[in-house]
DNA sequence: AATCAACCCAACCGCTCCTTC
DNA sequence: TGAAGGAGCGGTTGGGTTGAT
């Protein structure tokens, strides 16, 4: 089909931004807000692509950006979030105030990857390197290592839980409906996740720990799918929404997944991963 | 002092997703 | 319902900086 370019490349500057360009962009956004990035450059008197302006603002000029080195706490948080979210840098950035997705992505590639490798952990799967090597040896012919590791790791599975760009739409949906129903976006994302990787057991790594043990009141806890209102989902593991729960991962294996991630049951509630 | 390699990070590119018409 | 446009995301690149030889 092809698309028209986002800007007229012949008349746009590229490369490093000058102080003057920065000042123009800052003063324009202060006066008018972010608005439409496509029309912003012209309105602001900048010979830049709208995308370039957006990136410059988001990654460098925004006043709420935190400057300086990452702290040890931020390091660990990034590692844990990456183990849950994969390369969803914008989602990870959403949990680190003042940090941008680009910044975190760069930091991951230059520091944390090495740090994990030094610890003997595969940065892609967050599993011990020797275990990853072993798994790739045992994989079925025809399946790629990436597929093999993805089937046991969260990065692929979590993608259905909240897509980066669904944040605002999700909020819009929820505020507009005002009901406890999951947003269309969430439902769509979930179904996509299942369709893309039908062999994935999505229950393995993303279910809140409290799902598996009945509480003292005898009240049944519900699975992640049901908590999202997907009572009839085939991924239901609590038995409320589906008739068969025996095929799903049991509590011990699920808690093992948490142990592997270094997450103490109850400490991490995935509902808290909702974007701010 | 010069050269080279490694590292860092801002910016670009191509793509997907969502909204609008 | 589908095409077009806009926004945003993730991967990659290229130039500047730093450290080693």
């Amino acid at each position: 089909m092809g698309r028209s370019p986002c800007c007229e490349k012949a008349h746009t500057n590229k490369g490093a931004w000058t102080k003057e360009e920065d000042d123009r962009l800052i003063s324009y956004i202060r006066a008018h807000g972010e608005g439409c990035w496509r029309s912003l450059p012209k309105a602001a008197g900048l010979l830049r692509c709208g995308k370039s302006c957006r990136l410059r603002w988001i990654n460098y000029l925004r006043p709420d950006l935190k400057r300086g080195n990452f702290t040890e706490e931020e390091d660990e948080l990034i590692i844990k979030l990456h183990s849950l979210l994969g390369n969803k840098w914008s989602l990870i950035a959403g949990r680190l105030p003042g940090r941008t997705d680009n910044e975190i992505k760069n930091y991951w590639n230059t520091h944390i990857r090495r740090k994990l490798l030094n610890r003997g952990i595969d940065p892609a799967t967050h599993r011990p390197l020797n275990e990853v090597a072993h798994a790739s040896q045992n994989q079925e012919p025809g399946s790629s290592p990436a597929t093999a590791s993805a089937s046991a790791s969260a990065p692929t599975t979590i993608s259905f839980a909240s897509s980066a760009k669904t944040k605002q739409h999700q909020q819009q949906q929820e505020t507009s409906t005002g009901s406890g129903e999951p947003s269309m976006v969430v439902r769509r994302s979930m179904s996509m996740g299942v369709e893309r990787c039908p062999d994935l057991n999505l229950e393995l790594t993303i279910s809140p720990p409290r799902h598996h043990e009945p509480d003292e009141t005898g009240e049944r806890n519900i699975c992640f799918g049901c908590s999202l209102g997907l009572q009839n989902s085939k991924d239901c593991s609590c038995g409320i929404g589906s008739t068969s729960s025996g095929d799903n991962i049991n509590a011990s294996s699920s808690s093992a997944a948490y142990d592997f991630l270094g997450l103490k049951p109850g400490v991490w509630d995935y509902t808290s991963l909702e974007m701010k």
Side-chain angles (χ1 to χ4, degrees), chain A residues 3 14-15 51-52 55-56 169 188 196:
Chain A
R3 300 187 44 175
K14 291 179 76 171
K51 284 173 77 169
S52 181
L55 221 53
R56 181 66 178 172
H169 304 305
R188 179 172 170 276
R196 284 176 181 169

PDB file of all heavy atoms in Angstrom, chain A residues 3 14-15 51-52 55-56 169 188 196, chain B residues 8 10-14 16-19:
ATOM      1  N   ARG A   3       2.935   4.402   2.274  1.00  0.00           N
ATOM      2  CA  ARG A   3       2.427   5.525   3.040  1.00  0.00           C
ATOM      3  C   ARG A   3       3.182   6.781   2.676  1.00  0.00           C
ATOM      4  O   ARG A   3       4.329   6.728   2.272  1.00  0.00           O
ATOM      5  CB  ARG A   3       2.618   5.272   4.540  1.00  0.00           C
ATOM      6  CG  ARG A   3       1.921   4.071   5.032  1.00  0.00           C
ATOM      7  CD  ARG A   3       2.059   4.042   6.521  1.00  0.00           C
ATOM      8  NE  ARG A   3       1.824   5.377   7.105  1.00  0.00           N
ATOM      9  CZ  ARG A   3       1.788   5.580   8.383  1.00  0.00           C
ATOM     10  NH1 ARG A   3       1.985   4.616   9.212  1.00  0.00           N
ATOM     11  NH2 ARG A   3       1.585   6.774   8.853  1.00  0.00           N
ATOM     12  N   LYS A  14      18.428  17.122  10.018  1.00  0.00           N
ATOM     13  CA  LYS A  14      18.625  15.826  10.667  1.00  0.00           C
ATOM     14  C   LYS A  14      19.860  15.923  11.564  1.00  0.00           C
ATOM     15  O   LYS A  14      20.594  16.897  11.512  1.00  0.00           O
ATOM     16  CB  LYS A  14      18.816  14.723   9.621  1.00  0.00           C
ATOM     17  CG  LYS A  14      17.541  14.434   8.840  1.00  0.00           C
ATOM     18  CD  LYS A  14      17.738  13.380   7.808  1.00  0.00           C
ATOM     19  CE  LYS A  14      17.790  11.999   8.415  1.00  0.00           C
ATOM     20  NZ  LYS A  14      17.782  10.940   7.415  1.00  0.00           N
ATOM     21  N   GLY A  15      20.016  14.914  12.363  1.00  0.00           N
ATOM     22  CA  GLY A  15      21.177  14.900  13.238  1.00  0.00           C
ATOM     23  C   GLY A  15      20.950  15.644  14.540  1.00  0.00           C
ATOM     24  O   GLY A  15      19.800  15.866  14.947  1.00  0.00           O
ATOM     25  N   LYS A  51       8.140  13.611  14.091  1.00  0.00           N
ATOM     26  CA  LYS A  51       8.613  12.500  14.921  1.00  0.00           C
ATOM     27  C   LYS A  51       9.876  12.882  15.664  1.00  0.00           C
ATOM     28  O   LYS A  51      10.087  12.514  16.817  1.00  0.00           O
ATOM     29  CB  LYS A  51       8.901  11.280  14.028  1.00  0.00           C
ATOM     30  CG  LYS A  51       7.681  10.550  13.576  1.00  0.00           C
ATOM     31  CD  LYS A  51       8.026   9.484  12.570  1.00  0.00           C
ATOM     32  CE  LYS A  51       8.620   8.266  13.236  1.00  0.00           C
ATOM     33  NZ  LYS A  51       8.722   7.127  12.299  1.00  0.00           N
ATOM     34  N   SER A  52      10.723  13.600  14.954  1.00  0.00           N
ATOM     35  CA  SER A  52      11.984  14.013  15.555  1.00  0.00           C
ATOM     36  C   SER A  52      11.731  14.964  16.736  1.00  0.00           C
ATOM     37  O   SER A  52      12.379  14.862  17.780  1.00  0.00           O
ATOM     38  CB  SER A  52      12.855  14.691  14.497  1.00  0.00           C
ATOM     39  OG  SER A  52      14.088  15.083  15.048  1.00  0.00           O
ATOM     40  N   LEU A  55      10.401  12.965  19.702  1.00  0.00           N
ATOM     41  CA  LEU A  55      11.469  12.207  20.340  1.00  0.00           C
ATOM     42  C   LEU A  55      12.377  13.120  21.166  1.00  0.00           C
ATOM     43  O   LEU A  55      12.777  12.785  22.276  1.00  0.00           O
ATOM     44  CB  LEU A  55      12.292  11.497  19.262  1.00  0.00           C
ATOM     45  CG  LEU A  55      12.732  10.078  19.555  1.00  0.00           C
ATOM     46  CD1 LEU A  55      11.556   9.224  19.959  1.00  0.00           C
ATOM     47  CD2 LEU A  55      13.408   9.469  18.332  1.00  0.00           C
ATOM     48  N   ARG A  56      12.693  14.256  20.587  1.00  0.00           N
ATOM     49  CA  ARG A  56      13.577  15.193  21.285  1.00  0.00           C
ATOM     50  C   ARG A  56      12.925  15.660  22.589  1.00  0.00           C
ATOM     51  O   ARG A  56      13.570  15.746  23.619  1.00  0.00           O
ATOM     52  CB  ARG A  56      13.871  16.386  20.384  1.00  0.00           C
ATOM     53  CG  ARG A  56      14.809  17.410  20.994  1.00  0.00           C
ATOM     54  CD  ARG A  56      16.193  16.839  21.203  1.00  0.00           C
ATOM     55  NE  ARG A  56      17.118  17.834  21.740  1.00  0.00           N
ATOM     56  CZ  ARG A  56      18.353  17.554  22.162  1.00  0.00           C
ATOM     57  NH1 ARG A  56      18.814  16.323  22.081  1.00  0.00           N
ATOM     58  NH2 ARG A  56      19.128  18.490  22.656  1.00  0.00           N
ATOM     59  N   HIS A 169      -5.726   4.398  25.939  1.00  0.00           N
ATOM     60  CA  HIS A 169      -7.009   3.946  25.422  1.00  0.00           C
ATOM     61  C   HIS A 169      -7.746   3.157  26.475  1.00  0.00           C
ATOM     62  O   HIS A 169      -8.948   3.255  26.618  1.00  0.00           O
ATOM     63  CB  HIS A 169      -6.793   3.088  24.185  1.00  0.00           C
ATOM     64  CG  HIS A 169      -6.012   3.795  23.132  1.00  0.00           C
ATOM     65  ND1 HIS A 169      -6.394   5.008  22.649  1.00  0.00           N
ATOM     66  CD2 HIS A 169      -4.865   3.469  22.500  1.00  0.00           C
ATOM     67  CE1 HIS A 169      -5.536   5.402  21.731  1.00  0.00           C
ATOM     68  NE2 HIS A 169      -4.583   4.483  21.633  1.00  0.00           N
ATOM     69  N   ARG A 188      -8.781  -7.608  23.506  1.00  0.00           N
ATOM     70  CA  ARG A 188      -8.201  -7.824  22.208  1.00  0.00           C
ATOM     71  C   ARG A 188      -6.756  -8.269  22.356  1.00  0.00           C
ATOM     72  O   ARG A 188      -6.303  -9.203  21.722  1.00  0.00           O
ATOM     73  CB  ARG A 188      -8.248  -6.521  21.421  1.00  0.00           C
ATOM     74  CG  ARG A 188      -7.645  -6.633  20.054  1.00  0.00           C
ATOM     75  CD  ARG A 188      -7.918  -5.357  19.281  1.00  0.00           C
ATOM     76  NE  ARG A 188      -7.158  -5.344  18.041  1.00  0.00           N
ATOM     77  CZ  ARG A 188      -5.920  -4.945  17.977  1.00  0.00           C
ATOM     78  NH1 ARG A 188      -5.306  -4.537  19.061  1.00  0.00           N
ATOM     79  NH2 ARG A 188      -5.266  -4.946  16.831  1.00  0.00           N
ATOM     80  N   ARG A 196      -1.272 -15.655  18.796  1.00  0.00           N
ATOM     81  CA  ARG A 196       0.077 -15.660  18.268  1.00  0.00           C
ATOM     82  C   ARG A 196       0.879 -16.820  18.816  1.00  0.00           C
ATOM     83  O   ARG A 196       1.719 -17.375  18.146  1.00  0.00           O
ATOM     84  CB  ARG A 196       0.785 -14.344  18.649  1.00  0.00           C
ATOM     85  CG  ARG A 196       0.325 -13.185  17.799  1.00  0.00           C
ATOM     86  CD  ARG A 196       0.966 -11.919  18.289  1.00  0.00           C
ATOM     87  NE  ARG A 196       0.537 -10.777  17.520  1.00  0.00           N
ATOM     88  CZ  ARG A 196       0.772  -9.532  17.862  1.00  0.00           C
ATOM     89  NH1 ARG A 196       1.416  -9.257  18.952  1.00  0.00           N
ATOM     90  NH2 ARG A 196       0.379  -8.546  17.116  1.00  0.00           N
TER      91      ARG A 196
ATOM     92  P    DC B   8      29.229   1.683  28.608  1.00  0.00           P
ATOM     93  OP1  DC B   8      29.303   1.793  30.078  1.00  0.00           O
ATOM     94  OP2  DC B   8      28.518   0.544  27.985  1.00  0.00           O
ATOM     95  O5'  DC B   8      28.583   3.026  28.044  1.00  0.00           O
ATOM     96  C5'  DC B   8      29.284   4.241  28.229  1.00  0.00           C
ATOM     97  C4'  DC B   8      28.572   5.359  27.501  1.00  0.00           C
ATOM     98  O4'  DC B   8      28.847   5.261  26.080  1.00  0.00           O
ATOM     99  C3'  DC B   8      27.054   5.354  27.650  1.00  0.00           C
ATOM    100  O3'  DC B   8      26.653   6.619  28.124  1.00  0.00           O
ATOM    101  C2'  DC B   8      26.529   5.060  26.247  1.00  0.00           C
ATOM    102  C1'  DC B   8      27.679   5.538  25.362  1.00  0.00           C
ATOM    103  N1   DC B   8      27.828   4.858  24.046  1.00  0.00           N
ATOM    104  C2   DC B   8      27.904   5.622  22.876  1.00  0.00           C
ATOM    105  O2   DC B   8      27.814   6.850  22.959  1.00  0.00           O
ATOM    106  N3   DC B   8      28.058   4.991  21.691  1.00  0.00           N
ATOM    107  C4   DC B   8      28.156   3.658  21.648  1.00  0.00           C
ATOM    108  N4   DC B   8      28.320   3.078  20.459  1.00  0.00           N
ATOM    109  C5   DC B   8      28.098   2.860  22.824  1.00  0.00           C
ATOM    110  C6   DC B   8      27.925   3.495  24.000  1.00  0.00           C
ATOM    111  P    DA B  10      21.160  10.879  25.577  1.00  0.00           P
ATOM    112  OP1  DA B  10      21.722  11.705  26.663  1.00  0.00           O
ATOM    113  OP2  DA B  10      19.994  10.017  25.814  1.00  0.00           O
ATOM    114  O5'  DA B  10      20.839  11.839  24.346  1.00  0.00           O
ATOM    115  C5'  DA B  10      21.913  12.526  23.712  1.00  0.00           C
ATOM    116  C4'  DA B  10      21.724  12.517  22.209  1.00  0.00           C
ATOM    117  O4'  DA B  10      21.978  11.200  21.685  1.00  0.00           O
ATOM    118  C3'  DA B  10      20.325  12.914  21.739  1.00  0.00           C
ATOM    119  O3'  DA B  10      20.458  13.798  20.644  1.00  0.00           O
ATOM    120  C2'  DA B  10      19.685  11.584  21.330  1.00  0.00           C
ATOM    121  C1'  DA B  10      20.887  10.767  20.892  1.00  0.00           C
ATOM    122  N9   DA B  10      20.786   9.321  21.085  1.00  0.00           N
ATOM    123  C8   DA B  10      20.367   8.661  22.204  1.00  0.00           C
ATOM    124  N7   DA B  10      20.410   7.359  22.102  1.00  0.00           N
ATOM    125  C5   DA B  10      20.899   7.135  20.836  1.00  0.00           C
ATOM    126  C6   DA B  10      21.187   5.963  20.120  1.00  0.00           C
ATOM    127  N6   DA B  10      21.010   4.726  20.603  1.00  0.00           N
ATOM    128  N1   DA B  10      21.666   6.085  18.872  1.00  0.00           N
ATOM    129  C2   DA B  10      21.848   7.316  18.375  1.00  0.00           C
ATOM    130  N3   DA B  10      21.621   8.503  18.951  1.00  0.00           N
ATOM    131  C4   DA B  10      21.142   8.337  20.195  1.00  0.00           C
ATOM    132  P    DA B  11      19.196  14.483  20.025  1.00  0.00           P
ATOM    133  OP1  DA B  11      19.630  15.799  19.549  1.00  0.00           O
ATOM    134  OP2  DA B  11      18.058  14.346  20.955  1.00  0.00           O
ATOM    135  O5'  DA B  11      18.907  13.576  18.757  1.00  0.00           O
ATOM    136  C5'  DA B  11      19.937  13.396  17.795  1.00  0.00           C
ATOM    137  C4'  DA B  11      19.525  12.330  16.807  1.00  0.00           C
ATOM    138  O4'  DA B  11      19.554  11.051  17.463  1.00  0.00           O
ATOM    139  C3'  DA B  11      18.122  12.485  16.223  1.00  0.00           C
ATOM    140  O3'  DA B  11      18.246  12.712  14.830  1.00  0.00           O
ATOM    141  C2'  DA B  11      17.421  11.162  16.546  1.00  0.00           C
ATOM    142  C1'  DA B  11      18.580  10.230  16.875  1.00  0.00           C
ATOM    143  N9   DA B  11      18.275   9.163  17.829  1.00  0.00           N
ATOM    144  C8   DA B  11      17.755   9.302  19.088  1.00  0.00           C
ATOM    145  N7   DA B  11      17.600   8.166  19.717  1.00  0.00           N
ATOM    146  C5   DA B  11      18.042   7.217  18.814  1.00  0.00           C
ATOM    147  C6   DA B  11      18.139   5.816  18.874  1.00  0.00           C
ATOM    148  N6   DA B  11      17.764   5.100  19.931  1.00  0.00           N
ATOM    149  N1   DA B  11      18.642   5.170  17.796  1.00  0.00           N
ATOM    150  C2   DA B  11      19.008   5.889  16.732  1.00  0.00           C
ATOM    151  N3   DA B  11      18.972   7.208  16.551  1.00  0.00           N
ATOM    152  C4   DA B  11      18.475   7.821  17.644  1.00  0.00           C
ATOM    153  P    DC B  12      17.009  12.856  13.907  1.00  0.00           P
ATOM    154  OP1  DC B  12      17.334  13.882  12.893  1.00  0.00           O
ATOM    155  OP2  DC B  12      15.792  12.971  14.718  1.00  0.00           O
ATOM    156  O5'  DC B  12      16.984  11.436  13.175  1.00  0.00           O
ATOM    157  C5'  DC B  12      18.193  10.931  12.619  1.00  0.00           C
ATOM    158  C4'  DC B  12      17.970   9.543  12.066  1.00  0.00           C
ATOM    159  O4'  DC B  12      17.819   8.607  13.156  1.00  0.00           O
ATOM    160  C3'  DC B  12      16.721   9.407  11.199  1.00  0.00           C
ATOM    161  O3'  DC B  12      17.065   8.748   9.988  1.00  0.00           O
ATOM    162  C2'  DC B  12      15.764   8.575  12.046  1.00  0.00           C
ATOM    163  C1'  DC B  12      16.697   7.789  12.944  1.00  0.00           C
ATOM    164  N1   DC B  12      16.144   7.435  14.275  1.00  0.00           N
ATOM    165  C2   DC B  12      16.114   6.097  14.692  1.00  0.00           C
ATOM    166  O2   DC B  12      16.543   5.225  13.930  1.00  0.00           O
ATOM    167  N3   DC B  12      15.615   5.796  15.905  1.00  0.00           N
ATOM    168  C4   DC B  12      15.168   6.769  16.700  1.00  0.00           C
ATOM    169  N4   DC B  12      14.687   6.429  17.890  1.00  0.00           N
ATOM    170  C5   DC B  12      15.197   8.139  16.295  1.00  0.00           C
ATOM    171  C6   DC B  12      15.685   8.422  15.093  1.00  0.00           C
ATOM    172  P    DC B  13      16.036   8.606   8.818  1.00  0.00           P
ATOM    173  OP1  DC B  13      16.786   8.693   7.548  1.00  0.00           O
ATOM    174  OP2  DC B  13      14.889   9.498   9.079  1.00  0.00           O
ATOM    175  O5'  DC B  13      15.535   7.114   9.001  1.00  0.00           O
ATOM    176  C5'  DC B  13      16.501   6.073   9.106  1.00  0.00           C
ATOM    177  C4'  DC B  13      15.797   4.727   9.216  1.00  0.00           C
ATOM    178  O4'  DC B  13      15.366   4.518  10.585  1.00  0.00           O
ATOM    179  C3'  DC B  13      14.551   4.617   8.331  1.00  0.00           C
ATOM    180  O3'  DC B  13      14.588   3.394   7.634  1.00  0.00           O
ATOM    181  C2'  DC B  13      13.386   4.691   9.319  1.00  0.00           C
ATOM    182  C1'  DC B  13      14.000   4.176  10.621  1.00  0.00           C
ATOM    183  N1   DC B  13      13.445   4.755  11.869  1.00  0.00           N
ATOM    184  C2   DC B  13      13.103   3.918  12.933  1.00  0.00           C
ATOM    185  O2   DC B  13      13.258   2.703  12.814  1.00  0.00           O
ATOM    186  N3   DC B  13      12.620   4.463  14.067  1.00  0.00           N
ATOM    187  C4   DC B  13      12.462   5.785  14.165  1.00  0.00           C
ATOM    188  N4   DC B  13      11.986   6.288  15.304  1.00  0.00           N
ATOM    189  C5   DC B  13      12.813   6.655  13.090  1.00  0.00           C
ATOM    190  C6   DC B  13      13.291   6.104  11.965  1.00  0.00           C
ATOM    191  P    DG B  14      13.581   3.162   6.429  1.00  0.00           P
ATOM    192  OP1  DG B  14      14.354   2.579   5.307  1.00  0.00           O
ATOM    193  OP2  DG B  14      12.750   4.366   6.225  1.00  0.00           O
ATOM    194  O5'  DG B  14      12.656   2.017   7.021  1.00  0.00           O
ATOM    195  C5'  DG B  14      13.257   0.914   7.677  1.00  0.00           C
ATOM    196  C4'  DG B  14      12.232   0.160   8.488  1.00  0.00           C
ATOM    197  O4'  DG B  14      11.906   0.897   9.688  1.00  0.00           O
ATOM    198  C3'  DG B  14      10.903  -0.065   7.762  1.00  0.00           C
ATOM    199  O3'  DG B  14      10.510  -1.412   7.961  1.00  0.00           O
ATOM    200  C2'  DG B  14       9.940   0.916   8.428  1.00  0.00           C
ATOM    201  C1'  DG B  14      10.509   0.980   9.833  1.00  0.00           C
ATOM    202  N9   DG B  14      10.214   2.207  10.581  1.00  0.00           N
ATOM    203  C8   DG B  14      10.236   3.489  10.098  1.00  0.00           C
ATOM    204  N7   DG B  14       9.930   4.388  11.004  1.00  0.00           N
ATOM    205  C5   DG B  14       9.696   3.645  12.146  1.00  0.00           C
ATOM    206  C6   DG B  14       9.333   4.060  13.448  1.00  0.00           C
ATOM    207  O6   DG B  14       9.130   5.216  13.867  1.00  0.00           O
ATOM    208  N1   DG B  14       9.200   2.983  14.318  1.00  0.00           N
ATOM    209  C2   DG B  14       9.401   1.667  13.960  1.00  0.00           C
ATOM    210  N2   DG B  14       9.230   0.755  14.930  1.00  0.00           N
ATOM    211  N3   DG B  14       9.746   1.263  12.755  1.00  0.00           N
ATOM    212  C4   DG B  14       9.875   2.300  11.906  1.00  0.00           C
ATOM    213  P    DT B  16       4.393  -4.620  10.591  1.00  0.00           P
ATOM    214  OP1  DT B  16       4.391  -6.097  10.614  1.00  0.00           O
ATOM    215  OP2  DT B  16       3.803  -3.892   9.448  1.00  0.00           O
ATOM    216  O5'  DT B  16       3.676  -4.099  11.910  1.00  0.00           O
ATOM    217  C5'  DT B  16       4.285  -4.341  13.176  1.00  0.00           C
ATOM    218  C4'  DT B  16       3.463  -3.692  14.278  1.00  0.00           C
ATOM    219  O4'  DT B  16       3.624  -2.256  14.227  1.00  0.00           O
ATOM    220  C3'  DT B  16       1.961  -3.973  14.175  1.00  0.00           C
ATOM    221  O3'  DT B  16       1.485  -4.321  15.465  1.00  0.00           O
ATOM    222  C2'  DT B  16       1.373  -2.656  13.669  1.00  0.00           C
ATOM    223  C1'  DT B  16       2.352  -1.623  14.207  1.00  0.00           C
ATOM    224  N1   DT B  16       2.491  -0.391  13.387  1.00  0.00           N
ATOM    225  C2   DT B  16       2.387   0.837  14.001  1.00  0.00           C
ATOM    226  O2   DT B  16       2.173   0.965  15.197  1.00  0.00           O
ATOM    227  N3   DT B  16       2.546   1.915  13.160  1.00  0.00           N
ATOM    228  C4   DT B  16       2.805   1.879  11.810  1.00  0.00           C
ATOM    229  O4   DT B  16       2.919   2.925  11.175  1.00  0.00           O
ATOM    230  C5   DT B  16       2.898   0.563  11.226  1.00  0.00           C
ATOM    231  C7   DT B  16       3.183   0.426   9.773  1.00  0.00           C
ATOM    232  C6   DT B  16       2.747  -0.489  12.036  1.00  0.00           C
ATOM    233  P    DC B  17       0.002  -4.851  15.609  1.00  0.00           P
ATOM    234  OP1  DC B  17       0.055  -5.946  16.604  1.00  0.00           O
ATOM    235  OP2  DC B  17      -0.591  -5.079  14.276  1.00  0.00           O
ATOM    236  O5'  DC B  17      -0.737  -3.612  16.273  1.00  0.00           O
ATOM    237  C5'  DC B  17      -0.143  -2.976  17.400  1.00  0.00           C
ATOM    238  C4'  DC B  17      -0.881  -1.687  17.711  1.00  0.00           C
ATOM    239  O4'  DC B  17      -0.509  -0.678  16.755  1.00  0.00           O
ATOM    240  C3'  DC B  17      -2.405  -1.822  17.649  1.00  0.00           C
ATOM    241  O3'  DC B  17      -2.961  -1.262  18.831  1.00  0.00           O
ATOM    242  C2'  DC B  17      -2.792  -1.031  16.402  1.00  0.00           C
ATOM    243  C1'  DC B  17      -1.663  -0.011  16.292  1.00  0.00           C
ATOM    244  N1   DC B  17      -1.377   0.474  14.920  1.00  0.00           N
ATOM    245  C2   DC B  17      -1.204   1.844  14.677  1.00  0.00           C
ATOM    246  O2   DC B  17      -1.309   2.630  15.629  1.00  0.00           O
ATOM    247  N3   DC B  17      -0.941   2.270  13.421  1.00  0.00           N
ATOM    248  C4   DC B  17      -0.830   1.389  12.433  1.00  0.00           C
ATOM    249  N4   DC B  17      -0.567   1.850  11.213  1.00  0.00           N
ATOM    250  C5   DC B  17      -0.986  -0.017  12.650  1.00  0.00           C
ATOM    251  C6   DC B  17      -1.262  -0.424  13.897  1.00  0.00           C
ATOM    252  P    DC B  18      -4.491  -1.397  19.114  1.00  0.00           P
ATOM    253  OP1  DC B  18      -4.627  -1.698  20.551  1.00  0.00           O
ATOM    254  OP2  DC B  18      -5.116  -2.263  18.104  1.00  0.00           O
ATOM    255  O5'  DC B  18      -4.997   0.097  18.860  1.00  0.00           O
ATOM    256  C5'  DC B  18      -4.323   1.169  19.507  1.00  0.00           C
ATOM    257  C4'  DC B  18      -4.874   2.484  19.000  1.00  0.00           C
ATOM    258  O4'  DC B  18      -4.374   2.730  17.671  1.00  0.00           O
ATOM    259  C3'  DC B  18      -6.406   2.527  18.914  1.00  0.00           C
ATOM    260  O3'  DC B  18      -6.866   3.687  19.584  1.00  0.00           O
ATOM    261  C2'  DC B  18      -6.691   2.540  17.422  1.00  0.00           C
ATOM    262  C1'  DC B  18      -5.419   3.159  16.836  1.00  0.00           C
ATOM    263  N1   DC B  18      -5.082   2.728  15.462  1.00  0.00           N
ATOM    264  C2   DC B  18      -4.793   3.684  14.484  1.00  0.00           C
ATOM    265  O2   DC B  18      -4.831   4.885  14.793  1.00  0.00           O
ATOM    266  N3   DC B  18      -4.481   3.278  13.222  1.00  0.00           N
ATOM    267  C4   DC B  18      -4.450   1.978  12.937  1.00  0.00           C
ATOM    268  N4   DC B  18      -4.132   1.621  11.686  1.00  0.00           N
ATOM    269  C5   DC B  18      -4.730   0.984  13.911  1.00  0.00           C
ATOM    270  C6   DC B  18      -5.041   1.393  15.158  1.00  0.00           C
ATOM    271  P    DT B  19      -8.395   4.010  19.687  1.00  0.00           P
ATOM    272  OP1  DT B  19      -8.613   4.598  21.016  1.00  0.00           O
ATOM    273  OP2  DT B  19      -9.177   2.830  19.240  1.00  0.00           O
ATOM    274  O5'  DT B  19      -8.589   5.156  18.597  1.00  0.00           O
ATOM    275  C5'  DT B  19      -7.656   6.239  18.588  1.00  0.00           C
ATOM    276  C4'  DT B  19      -7.971   7.169  17.437  1.00  0.00           C
ATOM    277  O4'  DT B  19      -7.522   6.581  16.194  1.00  0.00           O
ATOM    278  C3'  DT B  19      -9.447   7.501  17.262  1.00  0.00           C
ATOM    279  O3'  DT B  19      -9.583   8.897  17.115  1.00  0.00           O
ATOM    280  C2'  DT B  19      -9.854   6.719  16.020  1.00  0.00           C
ATOM    281  C1'  DT B  19      -8.546   6.659  15.228  1.00  0.00           C
ATOM    282  N1   DT B  19      -8.370   5.489  14.332  1.00  0.00           N
ATOM    283  C2   DT B  19      -7.959   5.705  13.038  1.00  0.00           C
ATOM    284  O2   DT B  19      -7.738   6.815  12.580  1.00  0.00           O
ATOM    285  N3   DT B  19      -7.805   4.567  12.289  1.00  0.00           N
ATOM    286  C4   DT B  19      -8.020   3.254  12.691  1.00  0.00           C
ATOM    287  O4   DT B  19      -7.840   2.327  11.921  1.00  0.00           O
ATOM    288  C5   DT B  19      -8.447   3.103  14.067  1.00  0.00           C
ATOM    289  C7   DT B  19      -8.716   1.735  14.601  1.00  0.00           C
ATOM    290  C6   DT B  19      -8.599   4.210  14.805  1.00  0.00           C
TER     291       DT B  19
END
